[in-house]
Amino acid sequence: MAGHSKWKNIQHRKGRQDALKGKIFAKLAREIYVAARSGDKDPANNHQLRLVIAKARSQNMPNENIERAIKKASGSGTGQNFESITYEGYGPGGTAVMVEALTDNRNRTAADIRHIFSKNGGNLGESGCVSWMFERKGILVADRVQTGLDEEELMLVVLESGAEDIESTDSNYEITTSPENFETVKETLEKEGLSFSTAEVTFIPSNKVEIHGDAVKKVIQLIYALEDHDDVQNVYSNFEANDEELAKVMDE
């Protein structure tokens, strides 16, 4: 599971964050709007809305932005009608790629996503072609230094909270939960004083593909191109590459 935080660290490199900064909050606002519009506007009574708000807060989205998106969804009239669509395909090196999108024009978005795959050495596939390689899990990432607990003590607290697993990297602890237990585990650990740089229910690859050399660069270029599309909310891939090759690509 530790590969998840490795990819998050790549995404969060300063240059990448600066490039995406104008889009991150806009995409989160769209997710909040859709979750609020499809259910109760009170997060206490809307599970999906609570999950999206937790994700937004882990990205340091201001409360006023969150409240504005909910208020917009509460407005009178028909509003915007966004459709949730998942695209599946293959990237360079035989990697699997899943793309979650929210769109108000299915035909436009499908054509755009197909073009991005093709332009970057991939192929858009049929529904179900790669989703079987991923599992839906809750992920909580905490900074090792800021936890205030030693590793053994933290592991005990985490497992008692109902989490499935905890793994450590050089800088983080990565806690895995079932989607159903995500909120309970998060709230329990926050009461223990933990804060999280990542808090979301996401897709984790259960079947990974190791890539090297030029394939690493091509896969990351494909993922970046997909993430840059306004309708794309999340991109998942099952690639695995060593730190040195990843660092080299990121520094180019």
Side-chain angles (χ1 to χ4, degrees):
M1 290 297 181
H4 177 82
S5 57
K6 180 191 291 186
W7 175 240
K8 285 294 180 181
N9 288 340
I10 294 168
Q11 290 178 307
H12 295 169
R13 291 280 286 266
K14 186 177 186 305
R16 181 61 180 162
Q17 281 296 84
D18 288 347
L20 282 176
K21 193 171 184 180
K23 290 189 175 183
I24 291 174
F25 290 169
K27 291 188 177 192
L28 287 168
R30 183 181 289 192
E31 279 195 69
I32 293 168
Y33 172 87
V34 171
R37 197 160 182 85
S38 62
D40 199 299
K41 308 304 182 288
D42 183 352
N45 303 318
N46 186 329
H47 173 70
Q48 185 58 37
L49 182 55
R50 290 198 303 274
L51 291 180
V52 178
I53 289 174
K55 178 181 175 182
R57 286 179 173 155
S58 75
Q59 293 288 330
N60 298 315
M61 186 173 183
N63 282 332
E64 62 184 34
N65 294 42
I66 295 171
E67 292 167 3
R68 188 183 306 123
I70 296 173
K71 186 176 181 180
K72 183 179 178 183
S74 304
S76 59
T78 57
Q80 290 177 279
N81 292 316
F82 290 108
E83 183 179 5
S84 178
I85 304 176
T86 299
Y87 300 96
E88 302 178 36
Y90 299 93
T95 54
V97 181
M98 284 179 59
V99 182
E100 291 181 329
L102 288 174
T103 178
D104 58 359
N105 187 323
R106 171 191 281 260
N107 292 335
R108 178 201 66 216
T109 303
D112 289 350
I113 300 303
R114 184 179 300 278
H115 176 72
I116 292 170
F117 267 95
S118 178
K119 185 179 178 181
N120 290 277
N123 294 286
L124 185 63
E126 298 294 326
S127 177
C129 67
V130 301
S131 56
W132 61 272
M133 302 183 197
F134 296 82
E135 293 181 286
R136 196 151 181 81
K137 295 289 183 181
I139 294 292
L140 298 162
V141 178
D143 185 277
R144 288 179 67 99
V145 176
Q146 294 178 355
T147 58
L149 300 170
D150 64 44
E151 191 161 344
E152 288 188 9
E153 186 180 6
L154 177 63
M155 285 187 176
L156 182 61
V157 169
V158 166
L159 295 178
E160 287 182 344
S161 73
E164 292 183 351
D165 195 15
I166 176 172
E167 292 194 24
S168 60
T169 67
D170 291 341
S171 57
N172 296 318
Y173 291 112
E174 187 171 308
I175 299 156
T176 309
T177 80
S178 67
E180 297 76 18
N181 287 344
F182 172 78
E183 290 181 276
T184 301
V185 172
K186 179 175 178 290
E187 290 171 5
T188 300
L189 296 179
E190 285 176 338
K191 288 177 182 176
E192 294 290 336
L194 273 70
S195 59
F196 303 105
S197 59
T198 297
E200 61 183 346
V201 175
T202 184
F203 282 102
I204 301 295
S206 55
N207 200 318
K208 295 182 180 180
V209 173
E210 189 171 342
I211 55 175
H212 302 280
D214 196 45
V216 178
K217 181 178 180 178
K218 289 181 177 179
V219 167
I220 291 178
Q221 285 177 335
L222 169 61
I223 291 172
Y224 279 1
L226 289 165
E227 287 182 333
D228 284 340
H229 192 283
D230 288 342
D231 295 340
V232 171
Q233 299 298 119
N234 301 293
V235 180
Y236 311 101
S237 179
N238 70 340
F239 82 89
E240 190 163 52
N242 66 51
D243 292 345
E244 292 75 17
E245 287 191 286
L246 286 171
K248 181 180 178 182
V249 169
M250 296 305 302
D251 290 337
E252 289 181 355

